[in-house]
Amino acid sequence: MSRLVVVSNRVADPRKAAAGGLAVALGDALSASGGLWFGSSGNVVESAAGGTAGEGKVHTQRTGHVTLVTVDLSREDHDAYYRGYSNGVLWPVFHYRLDLADFDAGYIEGYRRVNRMFAHKLMPLLKPDDVIWVHDYHLIPLAAELRAMGCRQRIGFYLHIPLPPPLILAAIPAHEWLMRALFAYDLVGLQSKADLQHLSRYLRDEAGAELMSPGTFGAFSRVLKAGAFPIGIDVDDLVALTQGKEAQDTLTTMREQFARRQLLVGVDRLDYSKGLPQRIRAFRALLDRYPENRNSATLIQVAAPSREEVDAYSDIREELERLCGAVNGNYGDLDWMPIRYIHRTVARKRVPGLFRASRVGLVTPLRDGMNLVAKEFIAAQDADDPGVLVLSRFAGAAEQLTDALLVNPYDTQATADAIQTALHMPLQERQLRHQRLLAEVRAHDVHWWRESYLRSLMEAHT
Ligand code: GDG
């Protein structure tokens, strides 16, 4: 069995309870093969304390059968590679937000520099038959750097965020370089069929690649395979969490507090891709258009703090706070507030209890690679009396979760109408939709995702 080497921007200890489903799923595969997980440490070293651009101290730690190797970043590298290029250029552009991109020429240099540095640190740790799996937009050029140093092992890449249409990608200065770098991989995995179509069109129209067979492209004297591998959740883990004490306590408290009300829930990182202001406007339209929901429908919106050092994030936070305040001010009463807005991270063990207490789950991103919250909401429901998922058609998850109420989050009135339908959906229809949705979430869980990706990678090596 080949050893699995996972590379991602951040590394998690798969054995810690706080680690999410992805860390656990990758942890299983890493553990089974005595694997290595490589990434940045999250430590940022100021230049006064010796932080030098393109250099970083390496830390090695053993956890069970897995070795975690992490690298510190200098302030300059962190600002250019992480804050600047990854989150100031690639994140907005890949989410179709050219208006929010900051194409500062210095960032791309830092992005290259850190990818090269990671390749230099990783290369001596590799064994000849390792299988390397690189994750996400921070590390697109990593394989090209490794290949330049003579690395011949299988290398796969998985993009967790969407891939936009060719003309949006083409707005990135040096997009040719970025996309050409994909050809150093043996397999590129994407979340959805829509993303795969975009890649295919880009490679044909912008890179002059030859379509050799569906999902196989020839260019730059290399062959690249690409496929859609929609990521899933660990359903059994989520169900166990739902039955756990913390989730059950949360469920009981919520049921007591909102006994005469209908609860709606949203749980997101506070990110402009998640469509939070649009969601609040749709909820306001619901109260406006369907007054029977006043004094009853209550939205709990958790917006977990995220990337607060990037400007666009403080803007979205202010907008959201203003909107929530206005709705509560206009519609709230002495004994009822329409929105409970929480700008904090809620403990992972409690979240499923919140999902289960809610009649409606609102997952309405403007664009999302997949969106795991949609799948977690389904897995946390009581099959006998399930809540209804209102899901944006622009989440990758919408390709699979067609039994949710699919909405266009830009259409405030139509989203309000869908929420109204969800709040008043008869039990039988809720049960039927939930049954189908859960079957889909189970059939394509995180273990299926990992195994089908790695199987394709083993077949793809050329
Ligand atoms: C990227 C892509 C893709 C959220 N708030 C809290 C909390 N969460 C947890 C959720 C869920 C996870 O964070 C969020 O995952 P998403 O998939 O919804 O979104 P991103 O973070 O943007 O992830 C996305 C994903 O990668 C995987 O490929 O699906 O499209 O953007 O698990 O439950 N967890 C806790 N407290 C919170 O307040 N404990």
Side-chain angles (χ1 to χ4, degrees):
M1 181 192 206
S2 299
R3 183 176 72 152
L4 179 64
V5 176
V6 171
V7 189
S8 57
N9 177 53
R10 290 302 304 275
V11 169
D13 183 341
R15 296 199 303 182
K16 294 238 167 88
L22 177 64
V24 173
L26 293 176
D28 283 352
L30 284 164
S31 229
S33 70
L36 176 77
W37 194 343
F38 182 96
S40 80
S41 65
N43 299 338
V44 180
V45 187
E46 302 295 338
S47 43
T52 311
E55 237 337 293
K57 192 171 165 207
V58 176
H59 308 267
T60 305
Q61 188 194 335
R62 288 280 297 181
T63 166
H65 297 294
V66 183
T67 307
L68 306 178
V69 178
T70 58
V71 185
D72 296 345
L73 291 181
S74 69
R75 165 65 57 195
E76 200 181 332
D77 282 346
H78 172 266
D79 286 357
Y81 148 83
Y82 179 76
R83 193 174 56 80
Y85 202 73
S86 298
N87 289 317
V89 175
L90 296 181
W91 179 273
V93 174
F94 280 35
H95 286 90
Y96 302 24
R97 293 299 301 271
L98 286 174
D99 58 316
L100 294 177
D102 174 8
F103 296 113
D104 183 304
Y107 296 158
I108 195 165
E109 275 316 309
Y111 183 71
R112 282 182 184 171
R113 187 168 66 233
V114 170
N115 271 277
R116 191 169 302 144
M117 192 243 295
F118 283 168
H120 273 95
K121 306 275 186 203
L122 179 60
M123 189 71 186
L125 307 177
L126 296 177
K127 297 180 186 168
D129 67 340
D130 279 351
V131 172
I132 305 161
W133 191 3
V134 179
H135 288 261
D136 235 359
Y137 56 103
H138 315 84
L139 299 169
I140 294 171
L142 188 79
E145 295 292 349
L146 286 168
R147 299 274 185 233
M149 296 168 65
C151 174
R152 300 178 55 107
Q153 287 87 335
R154 281 185 176 79
I155 317 181
F157 178 73
Y158 188 80
L159 185 68
H160 288 257
I161 65 175
L163 192 83
L167 280 181
I168 294 186
L169 271 177
I172 301 178
H175 64 94
E176 299 91 343
W177 166 79
L178 190 71
M179 298 300 284
R180 182 180 175 153
L182 290 177
F183 279 82
Y185 292 99
D186 295 295
L187 176 68
V188 168
L190 300 158
Q191 294 273 24
S192 68
K193 294 191 189 98
D195 298 326
L196 182 58
Q197 265 179 16
H198 295 156
L199 178 67
S200 176
R201 275 176 39 215
Y202 179 93
L203 293 178
R204 188 192 62 195
D205 299 347
E206 300 280 338
E210 181 198 345
L211 181 64
M212 300 167 74
S213 61
T216 307
F217 307 90
F220 315 114
S221 317
R222 275 197 65 96
V223 174
L224 170 67
K225 291 202 179 211
F229 302 87
I231 195 168
I233 60 166
D234 186 333
V235 180
D236 293 332
D237 177 60
L238 208 287
V239 169
L241 274 183
T242 309
Q243 284 154 2
K245 183 177 178 329
E246 286 88 343
Q248 288 297 317
D249 287 351
T250 306
L251 177 64
T252 309
T253 313
M254 291 293 137
R255 285 208 172 133
E256 278 167 16
Q257 275 191 29
F258 296 97
R260 289 174 301 105
R261 315 234 190 260
Q262 287 205 300
L263 214 52
L264 301 93
V265 69
V267 175
D268 308 77
R269 276 189 309 101
L270 180 41
D271 191 291
Y272 50 78
S273 66
K274 302 294 182 187
L276 296 172
Q278 287 79 359
R279 188 180 304 169
I280 302 300
R281 283 192 208 106
F283 185 63
R284 180 175 64 192
L286 173 88
L287 299 178
D288 191 44
R289 202 165 169 154
Y290 302 104
E292 67 269 29
N293 295 307
R294 295 183 202 165
N295 247 302
S296 168
T298 306
L299 169 61
I300 297 190
Q301 178 61 57
V302 177
S306 175
R307 303 179 197 155
E308 292 180 305
E309 50 189 320
V310 181
D311 287 346
Y313 288 75
S314 40
D315 295 347
I316 190 87
R317 176 183 172 182
E318 276 169 29
E319 185 183 0
L320 192 57
E321 287 175 357
R322 203 168 46 240
L323 273 167
C324 291
V327 174
N328 280 343
N330 288 339
Y331 291 95
D333 215 326
L334 290 174
D335 61 348
W336 172 67
M337 275 299 149
I339 303 178
R340 217 174 249 207
Y341 167 72
I342 303 164
H343 181 234
R344 261 185 298 113
T345 301
V346 171
R348 188 172 124 78
K349 290 184 172 171
R350 294 185 61 187
V351 174
L354 187 56
F355 287 154
R356 199 175 175 100
S358 301
R359 171 49 57 88
V360 179
L362 296 179
V363 179
T364 54
L366 304 180
R367 192 73 187 111
D368 219 325
M370 175 53 58
N371 196 300
L372 296 178
V373 172
K375 297 184 174 182
E376 292 165 357
F377 178 81
I378 292 163
Q381 296 306 306
D382 173 359
D384 293 333
D385 185 19
V388 180
L389 177 64
V390 174
L391 176 64
S392 164
R393 57 172 297 186
F394 305 123
E399 278 189 8
Q400 297 174 291
L401 305 181
T402 49
D403 281 292
L405 293 182
L406 296 183
V407 297
N408 168 7
Y410 293 98
D411 187 338
T412 309
Q413 295 302 334
T415 306
D417 292 347
I419 299 173
Q420 172 73 354
T421 304
L423 282 168
H424 299 93
M425 189 179 283
L427 175 64
Q428 211 183 358
E429 185 179 350
R430 283 192 277 127
Q431 288 172 335
L432 190 63
R433 284 178 184 266
H434 175 258
Q435 199 182 14
R436 292 191 185 137
L437 288 167
L438 185 62
E440 172 59 37
V441 171
R442 268 200 185 283
H444 298 113
D445 69 358
V446 75
H447 305 292
W448 168 86
W449 168 77
R450 183 194 70 212
E451 281 155 26
S452 61
Y453 181 88
L454 288 175
R455 201 179 316 118
S456 297
L457 178 57
M458 296 312 268
E459 291 163 4
H461 196 44
T462 49

